Amino acid sequence: MTWLLVAVGAAVGAPLRYLTDRLIQSRHDSVFPWGTLTVNVAGSLLLGVVTGLPTDSAVAALVGTGFCGALTTYSTFSYETLRLLQDGALFYAMVNVVASLVAGFGAAALGLVVAQAFG
């Protein structure tokens, strides 16, 4: 049954990632991957909250593994960083790596702290 919860969460998270990425990116006239950064930070925040709350394994599978796993995207982050490097945008590539790591870890930590404070 756990696999079904993961699949349902992913079925919602993946299209939301795509639509959010396209919406955010369409509003920026820049080579910087704002859409991917946004979904990765939002997913990290949500995963921090889920991790910090007293939840059962079904919620963790549905929201944590399924939804957050499909919402966030390490492969696209890697691809876009490499694309920036290939296009000669070294500054943007470095900013993408640093911003993604700092904001992602920060968002996860914030989510964990908030959940523990209110959970």
Side-chain angles (χ1 to χ4, degrees):
M1 185 58 138
T2 302
W3 68 269
L4 184 57
L5 292 170
V6 171
V8 168
V12 174
L16 185 60
R17 171 177 53 87
Y18 176 78
L19 294 171
T20 303
D21 175 68
R22 294 297 83 209
L23 178 69
I24 300 288
Q25 206 60 41
S26 72
R27 288 175 163 47
H28 292 88
D29 187 25
S30 170
V31 296
F32 190 81
W34 289 107
T36 301
L37 178 64
T38 300
V39 295
N40 285 345
V41 172
S44 295
L45 177 67
L46 180 58
L47 189 56
V49 170
V50 170
T51 302
L53 291 175
T55 59
D56 61 15
S57 61
V59 172
L62 176 71
V63 179
T65 305
F67 181 77
C68 289
L71 179 66
T72 60
T73 173
Y74 187 77
S75 59
T76 302
F77 157 70
S78 301
Y79 166 77
E80 289 172 343
T81 302
L82 289 175
R83 191 195 74 227
L84 289 168
L85 288 171
Q86 289 174 336
D87 292 346
L90 177 63
F91 175 75
Y92 284 128
M94 290 184 338
V95 168
N96 190 39
V97 170
V98 172
S100 293
L101 291 174
V102 171
F105 281 122
L110 177 63
L112 184 63
V113 168
V114 167
Q116 289 175 341
F118 293 104

